[in-house]
Amino acid sequence: MQKITCSAPGKIYLFGEHAVVYGESAICCAVDLRTQVRASLSDTIRISSVLGDTGLDHDRYPYVSSVIEKMSEITDIKGVDLCIDSNIPVGSGLGSSAAVTIATIQALNLLFGCGMGAEDIATLGHSIERKIQGAASPTDTYVSTMGGVVMVPLKKKLKIIDCGIVIGNTGKFSSTRQLVSNVALLKKNYPEIIDPILSTIGMISLTGEELVTKKEYRSIGVLMNINQGLLDAIGVSSPELADLIYAARSAGAYSAKITGAGGGGCMVALAHPSEMQLVASAITKAGGEAIITKVTEQGVRVEN
Ligand code: MEV
């Protein structure tokens, strides 16, 4: 094979971010925003995207460079040309790093005939995210590989949800590594307060599982809003996120909360399909970039 294009999706959390780092349950959905990686055989290593054109570069392309290095341990990669294109906003809580990692692993896997299966891809993706971010749960990389709605850490696939999903991007970069370490510090200093908050978030996910299965969006919304209050309590909200969250709720969304690490980045609202435009307009009016999307069953896939 001379060249191949693979893509992998971003994700939103219905419930459970941050708590999942400590083994609590979370429910995460792959969404219809994707990162595409076109890989072709070459004499040298070249990585290109809107961020620029370079060789192995751990500052500009930490995830892709790490994938190339890791996969060079299992196959002989003399040269490869990787061209990245994405409609997942970077550093915004939508799993852009997991998507580029997983799409790159699958592209190299197929280009060099490594014979990796989906579980191997998700596992390697997780080890790369963990190395770069310090602490990372397997959630983002697993969901990006498998697609659909997934309950973690059980890795249990739930029924796909079919309500409207409106994402609001604050446009403020958020560092997952920083936010995860802020929560770790809070937990270390106040374990008797923070531990019950994290286990309550886990309980929200466990309670939410049946509601997701029954597609009871109003009740899912109630739990997502409670989850938001607890995320605020552990310090991962921001004034910009709060503005978008309350704007979406006031415009009739079932729910609105942070998705991902928080501190900036994105919020997500669930809405009846007939209310999606209203919710999106309210987010825009409150200063965010609104993205209307849906949950997708499609994880990593070949594009050509
Ligand atoms: C980031 O998308 C979600 C966090 O829970 C971190 C992780 O699970 O690795 C904040």
Side-chain angles (χ1 to χ4, degrees), residues 196 210 252 271:
E210 195 184 341

Side-chain angles (χ1 to χ4, degrees), residues 141-164:
T141 36
Y142 190 82
V143 173
S144 190
T145 308
M146 307 296 178
V149 180
V150 184
M151 179 133 192
V152 282
L154 287 181
K155 298 184 175 172
K156 180 174 172 187
K157 275 245 188 174
L158 307 183
K159 268 200 204 139
I160 207 99
I161 56 168
D162 54 7
C163 68

Side-chain angles (χ1 to χ4, degrees), residues 143-207:
V143 173
S144 190
T145 308
M146 307 296 178
V149 180
V150 184
M151 179 133 192
V152 282
L154 287 181
K155 298 184 175 172
K156 180 174 172 187
K157 275 245 188 174
L158 307 183
K159 268 200 204 139
I160 207 99
I161 56 168
D162 54 7
C163 68
I165 298 204
V166 188
I167 291 165
N169 189 357
T170 61
K172 301 251 158 154
F173 180 81
S174 103
S175 157
T176 301
R177 187 189 179 96
Q178 185 61 53
L179 284 141
V180 168
S181 87
N182 292 353
V183 174
L185 186 63
L186 213 53
K187 180 171 154 52
K188 182 165 163 260
N189 290 342
Y190 306 101
E192 54 297 316
I193 297 169
I194 302 302
D195 289 352
I197 294 178
L198 296 173
S199 62
T200 303
I201 293 177
M203 186 54 71
I204 289 176
S205 306
L206 294 173
T207 309

Side-chain angles (χ1 to χ4, degrees), residues 55-132:
L56 271 188
D57 183 337
H58 285 276
D59 291 325
R60 214 178 320 176
Y61 293 107
Y63 296 94
V64 176
S65 298
S66 294
V67 171
I68 296 171
E69 280 181 355
K70 269 278 158 208
M71 293 202 53
S72 296
E73 291 170 14
I74 49 176
T75 186
D76 186 17
I77 302 181
K78 291 202 173 56
V80 67
D81 194 336
L82 295 172
C83 184
I84 303 155
D85 191 18
S86 181
N87 61 3
I88 308 174
V90 173
S92 64
L94 297 179
S96 59
S97 52
V100 77
T101 304
I102 296 302
T104 306
I105 295 173
Q106 177 65 314
L108 296 183
N109 176 38
L110 297 177
L111 192 66
F112 291 95
C114 303
M116 293 168 79
E119 287 286 342
D120 305 321
I121 293 171
T123 303
L124 178 59
H126 177 220
S127 76
I128 287 170
E129 269 216 331
R130 207 175 41 215
K131 187 185 110 208
I132 295 172

